[in-house]
Amino acid sequence: MTSAAFSDLEVAHRMADAARQAILPYFRSAGLQSDNKLDEGFDPVTIADRAAEQAMRSVLAELRPEDSILGEEFGETHGQSGRTWVLDPIDGTRGFISGTPTWGVLIALGDADGPFLGIVDQPYIGERFIGTPEGASLTGPLGHSALVTRATCSLSEATLFTTFPEVGTEAERAAFQRVSAQVRLTRYGMDCYAYALLAAGQCDLVIEAGLNAYDIQAPIAVIQAAGGVVTNWQGEPAHEGGQVLAAATPELHAAALALIQQTA
């Protein structure tokens, strides 16, 4: 069977399956070591991160050799198609090395306008959140279901997530706090799983800063397919990373964005 016989979604599923097989033997294993990618601070990487990205790249080399790749661990590989697969083999490595099942494998396919297909996969739980131009869905222990964001329009009824309590700079933290002060509930530390929960209708807002393209492109595709809105803090496309605001509804997005952009 030729590579053209596989749809883009089938290729993405094969990559997610390959990443699962590469990662799971290491999760919660005794003696797992991590390296620090930063001279100052802590940005861990493990053998599982590298093995998973290599496994996904092998799938692409066989089935989509003409496409470009941007991966967290092995950088950029240029293709000729004008399309790019954006890969984060383990988003949330801090959670991974801590034994929490809130990390995920991120796979996105897009062009210059941004991602149009995305998968957020949680191998340990067995959940796979999928976003395509045809819609969003979840496969997991309870079967297969559609993904639809909640209809929350009011900040006072919203649940807000961010990964790090400090969010980013002092100014970014202050902007986040203006929104946090208005919502019903604020939660921390979920990495990419928070975006998946937003797409699944379990929370309403995710606000973060300092992201890379490989952190956000798959969540963008899934959330938008589920009916949500994702932009940067200027209300513009967020697929290059940086400051990100994801919301369940346009109304909630507008209310949060107004607070983020508020000046003294």
Side-chain angles (χ1 to χ4, degrees), residues 13-36:
H13 279 301
R14 283 179 172 247
M15 294 166 66
D17 292 342
R20 280 189 182 189
Q21 293 174 4
I23 292 169
L24 284 176
Y26 297 103
F27 184 53
R28 296 182 180 173
S29 63
L32 177 67
Q33 300 294 313
S34 63
D35 299 323
N36 186 10

Side-chain angles (χ1 to χ4, degrees), residues 61-253:
E62 177 185 357
L63 300 179
R64 290 294 186 272
E66 70 280 7
D67 292 343
S68 299
I69 306 171
L70 173 63
E72 179 176 11
E73 305 307 332
F74 297 102
E76 191 167 4
T77 301
H78 295 286
Q80 299 82 39
S81 68
R83 307 177 343 145
T84 301
W85 294 88
V86 181
L87 312 176
D88 192 342
I90 300 179
D91 181 86
T93 303
R94 293 172 180 83
F96 183 85
I97 65 175
S98 303
T100 62
T102 54
W103 50 276
V105 178
L106 304 184
I107 300 168
L109 174 61
D111 53 25
D113 295 325
F116 49 80
L117 182 155
I119 285 180
V120 178
D121 191 65
Q122 211 309 305
Y124 186 74
I125 299 175
E127 291 180 325
R128 186 167 296 174
F129 302 82
I130 304 155
T132 74
E134 287 71 46
S137 61
L138 166 66
T139 59
L142 299 180
H144 185 85
S145 60
L147 290 176
V148 180
T149 57
R150 278 205 291 222
T152 307
C153 295
S154 170
L155 288 170
S156 64
E157 298 175 354
T159 297
L160 165 65
F161 271 102
T162 197
T163 297
F164 302 108
E166 64 273 17
V167 182
T169 65
E170 289 186 13
E172 288 168 336
R173 171 67 171 169
F176 173 84
Q177 288 284 18
R178 289 195 292 273
V179 181
S180 180
Q182 299 295 321
V183 303
R184 180 175 63 180
L185 177 64
T186 301
R187 303 289 292 167
Y188 298 94
M190 298 293 283
D191 296 297
C192 64
Y193 200 64
Y195 295 100
L197 291 176
L198 195 158
Q202 299 299 307
C203 69
D204 308 288
L205 289 165
V206 183
I207 299 175
E208 297 195 291
L211 300 187
N212 294 291
Y214 47 73
D215 297 316
I216 194 60
Q217 290 211 14
I220 287 174
V222 175
I223 289 170
Q224 290 181 340
V229 180
V230 187
T231 71
N232 63 20
W233 290 12
Q234 290 72 48
E236 299 169 348
H239 59 272
E240 295 299 330
Q243 302 166 328
V244 171
L245 166 61
T249 63
E251 295 85 358
L252 192 63
H253 179 273

